[in-house]
Amino acid sequence: MGPTPEQLTELHDAVLNLRDKLTGSETAEALTNSVLRPLQELIPDRSAPTAAAGTLWELTLKATQLRVLPGAPAQLLEATAGLQTLACAEDSDRVAELQRIQADLPGEIRTATNGPYLVTNVGQLRDYLGYPIAPQPQLALCRCGASKTKPYCDGAHAETGFVDAKSPDRVPDRRDAYVGLQVEVFDNRGICQHSGLCTDRLATVFRQGKEPFVAPSGGRMDEIVRAVRDCPSGALSYGIDGVEARDEVDRHGTREPAIEVTKDGPYRITGGVPLHDNDGDDVPRNEGASLEHYALCRCGHSQNKPFCSGMHWYVDFHDPLPSDEPTIFEWCGGLPALTRMARLFYEKHVPQDPLLAPLFGSMSADHPQRVAAWLGEVFGGPKAYSGPYGGYSRMVNEHVGKGISEEQRARWVQLLLLSATEAGLPNDPEFRAAFSSYVEWGSRLAVENSQANSRPPQHMPMPNWHWTTAAGPPGSRISALPSDEPAEKHTPVLPAADEPVSFEHHIRTLFRPFDRKSMSFAFDLWSYDDVRAHADAIHTRLQAGTMPCDTPWPPEYVATYERWLATGTRP
């Protein structure tokens, strides 16, 4: 039994009263456009509200509890999404409570008639760089292209007159089969979103502007399979000996349900998220379409709604401009671009190279994704490596005992740079200088750490590469290899029990010249202003034994530092 008209009316009236209390605010405008408008379609017109106003959070809970009832209409889903977005913001406890209420609802995307995509319990929502967007369990994503709060819907479709009908001029629904020497390729141009991932990467097989479009004998089988599996629209498939390998193309069960908000383009859906219409029925698909991955229009102009037909290219659809000073991670295209590069490198170039194939013959299945996560974090992206995988120590231990040669290192760099070009990473000199400098620096450390007599330090911070990064002067890091030079002598000045602790007389002397040099990329350990500004962060690492990076401080050093903190950090 779904929500009753009385329940919906009570919810509408309570929201209306709250909106009137907040008149003139951004929240009032959002309630009008995203919550009251869809609810109004469900209730009769009346001259005055009958329910008392509640708080925004109380109304969100009420709407969510009605939403979980069987047969909840699309308008209620849209209103609930609007309330959840307004009420939660960055409040993880509230999100968790809403997730608990909606826990039994299956994940789905519902296309509201002439309205937004109503997303229920699809846990992964990412932007085009791979950054996670922490979603509420009920979302309304913009479908008309006019929202000022993209990717979220702000009700703009009601103002623009958005219509979700398919165009009679769309590319016909026709599936073609192209038979080659080793593989048969299936393609339906009526599904294609024109991302260019196949034509840009394998132009001898997928031939833009030529007939036939697919020449399946024009490339290696593994490259064709990779291009087919990477097709974001689901238009492509392949077969061997007359049997279609749809399950292998779709990778059923290997990807979590996820939505990627691409840059200036469609939503890319992976993981088999069900797609339903306004009434909860399956959206009809073209012949041969994938149910595991597909692309949904975000610009509002597709000829094949709700699916993307590439019209965003022609209507000049753009998201808000990014930062004027992007990080290397942002400039290169984020985690998707780095993952694409890593997969090309480890799937295409490494297996056919006699120097590198033995080195990586037993690598794990997710090795390309881990390398991409490492590079992304190094270049200023999210903590996608140090979080799930363990940070610097994990990467170092991956190389211990491998005995990597200089010849292997040089080949690794050469083929990785080639993979970056093939994956479409930027080719401007500034990016290539920054990217090349890191892979040269990092690969040399990998060689050093892999030698039989190496003892790499375990508590170094993750490298942080930016546009002006240099690796630091010679001698600014601890070598993993044994040294013939005598150990550095260092005698700090410790205060007496009743002596006031000062930076100049005591704290500064705790840091060796080597400590200062190794941290010079971040701040000066012999500078009072720098150490005072980072005092708490330094204390945290001293307590954890990860600073200095070669050996923890003795307890009396830590105690002296803590006395300095406790007594006001005097100069």
Side-chain angles (χ1 to χ4, degrees):
M1 183 68 180
T4 66
E6 292 77 18
Q7 290 173 316
L8 295 171
T9 298
E10 181 182 357
L11 175 63
H12 170 273
D13 290 355
V15 173
L16 183 60
N17 268 324
L18 177 63
R19 191 278 312 271
D20 290 343
K21 286 185 175 182
L22 302 173
T23 297
S25 67
E26 291 184 1
T27 299
E29 182 180 0
L31 288 172
T32 299
N33 297 333
S34 300
V35 182
L36 288 171
R37 178 192 45 76
L39 286 178
Q40 185 63 47
E41 299 176 15
L42 299 174
I43 66 171
D45 291 331
R46 288 179 336 287
S47 58
T50 58
T55 66
L56 183 60
W57 176 235
E58 289 170 346
L59 296 179
T60 301
L61 289 173
K62 182 183 299 249
T64 305
Q65 288 158 356
L66 293 178
R67 184 269 169 269
V68 301
L69 297 176
Q75 295 93 328
L76 176 58
L77 272 62
E78 183 179 351
T80 302
L83 286 167
Q84 288 191 8
T85 299
L86 287 171
C88 290
E90 301 297 324
D91 194 322
S92 59
D93 290 338
R94 287 187 172 184
V95 172
E97 174 64 12
L98 297 176
Q99 288 172 336
R100 185 192 64 77
I101 296 172
Q102 290 195 198
D104 293 335
L105 294 176
E108 68 163 348
I109 299 174
R110 190 180 297 193
T111 58
T113 301
N114 300 332
Y117 298 113
L118 304 172
V119 181
T120 302
N121 287 355
V122 177
Q124 292 191 47
L125 179 67
R126 298 187 295 262
D127 68 12
Y128 75 96
L129 294 170
Y131 281 106
I133 305 172
Q136 291 77 50
Q138 189 66 60
L139 294 172
L141 298 181
C142 177
R143 187 180 176 197
C144 69
S147 172
K148 293 183 177 62
T149 59
K150 297 182 185 71
Y152 304 110
C153 171
D154 66 358
H157 57 278
E159 299 291 330
T160 62
F162 170 73
V163 176
D164 61 7
K166 294 181 185 292
S167 167
D169 299 326
R170 67 186 181 278
V171 176
D173 176 11
R174 189 189 74 207
R175 198 182 202 210
D176 298 312
Y178 303 90
V179 179
L181 291 175
Q182 295 180 299
V183 65
E184 182 176 6
V185 176
F186 301 96
D187 174 54
N188 189 329
R189 295 288 82 198
I191 302 173
C192 181
Q193 66 135 103
H194 303 285
S195 68
L197 297 185
C198 58
T199 53
D200 291 349
R201 300 180 201 170
L202 199 54
T204 57
V205 175
F206 301 97
R207 308 181 307 170
Q208 187 172 0
K210 295 182 180 180
E211 291 295 336
F213 170 60
V214 181
S217 297
R220 295 203 321 255
M221 181 177 175
D222 64 317
E223 293 184 323
I224 294 173
V225 169
R226 184 182 302 109
V228 167
R229 297 183 79 188
D230 286 348
C231 171
S233 67
L236 294 175
S237 185
Y238 74 89
I240 299 174
D241 296 331
V243 179
E244 184 177 2
R246 182 85 257 180
D247 285 346
E248 283 71 25
V249 174
D250 286 350
R251 290 172 273 192
H252 277 301
T254 64
R255 295 197 284 194
E256 293 294 323
I259 301 174
E260 178 191 347
V261 185
T262 66
K263 181 175 174 56
D264 303 331
Y267 300 105
R268 289 179 181 164
I269 318 300
T270 53
V273 181
L275 182 65
H276 298 143
D277 64 16
N278 187 83
D279 299 319
D281 298 321
D282 290 339
V283 170
R285 312 283 184 117
N286 284 8
E287 182 184 2
S290 171
L291 300 181
E292 193 274 342
H293 56 277
Y294 50 93
L296 294 177
C297 174
R298 196 162 70 91
C299 72
H301 291 83
S302 172
Q303 295 180 317
N304 188 36
K305 299 184 188 80
F307 303 102
C308 173
S309 69
M311 286 300 293
H312 53 279
W313 298 109
Y314 303 100
V315 300
D316 202 28
F317 175 72
H318 289 289
D319 289 307
L321 292 174
S323 167
D324 291 337
E325 297 182 5
T327 63
I328 299 174
F329 175 77
E330 292 169 338
W331 185 256
C332 78
L335 199 56
L338 293 170
T339 302
R340 190 164 64 242
M341 176 196 70
R343 286 187 54 216
L344 280 168
F345 176 71
Y346 287 106
E347 293 176 10
K348 176 182 177 182
H349 293 296
V350 166
Q352 64 188 7
D353 188 87
L355 276 174
L356 297 182
L359 192 60
F360 294 99
S362 59
M363 65 180 171
S364 62
D366 69 340
H367 191 79
Q369 287 75 19
R370 287 194 282 117
V371 169
W374 169 272
L375 291 173
E377 188 168 342
V378 166
F379 291 142
K383 296 185 181 301
Y385 188 90
S386 60
Y389 300 113
Y392 181 84
S393 297
R394 167 67 183 270
M395 178 58 77
V396 166
N397 291 330
E398 290 289 318
H399 298 109
V400 169
K402 291 288 196 298
I404 302 171
S405 69
E406 170 57 25
E407 190 178 14
Q408 288 172 317
R409 185 207 68 81
R411 184 69 56 82
W412 187 91
V413 170
Q414 174 194 5
L415 293 180
L416 188 67
L417 295 178
L418 175 60
S419 299
T421 299
E422 293 177 341
L425 269 66
N427 202 36
D428 57 274
E430 293 79 9
F431 171 73
R432 289 305 172 122
F435 184 75
S436 300
S437 69
Y438 174 72
V439 298
E440 288 284 355
W441 179 82
S443 64
R444 283 175 165 80
L445 262 64
V447 170
E448 183 178 296
N449 292 336
S450 73
Q451 303 309 306
N453 61 342
S454 71
R455 296 294 183 271
Q458 291 294 309
H459 300 300
M460 294 291 288
M462 287 282 293
N464 185 3
W465 225 252
H466 47 82
W467 296 112
T468 58
T469 297
S476 63
R477 67 177 180 86
I478 297 174
S479 173
L481 300 176
S483 173
D484 296 331
E485 297 182 6
E488 177 184 2
K489 292 183 179 180
H490 178 69
T491 305
V493 178
L494 300 180
D498 57 350
E499 182 182 2
V501 182
S502 75
F503 178 84
E504 193 62 33
H505 292 105
H506 306 111
I507 301 303
R508 184 179 183 277
T509 70
L510 295 174
F511 299 109
R512 301 166 298 179
F514 173 79
D515 298 330
R516 182 193 188 195
K517 186 182 291 186
S518 65
M519 288 299 295
S520 61
F521 73 94
F523 51 83
D524 185 355
L525 284 172
W526 286 2
S527 162
Y528 168 75
D529 290 338
D530 281 6
V531 173
R532 183 180 181 187
H534 297 87
D536 291 337
I538 293 172
H539 183 224
T540 298
R541 291 194 60 189
L542 291 174
Q543 286 184 313
T546 60
M547 182 178 182
C549 55
D550 55 340
T551 182
W553 268 3
E556 59 269 26
Y557 289 19
V558 178
T560 297
Y561 187 86
E562 290 175 342
R563 280 180 59 193
W564 179 66
L565 288 180
T567 55
T569 62
R570 68 172 60 204

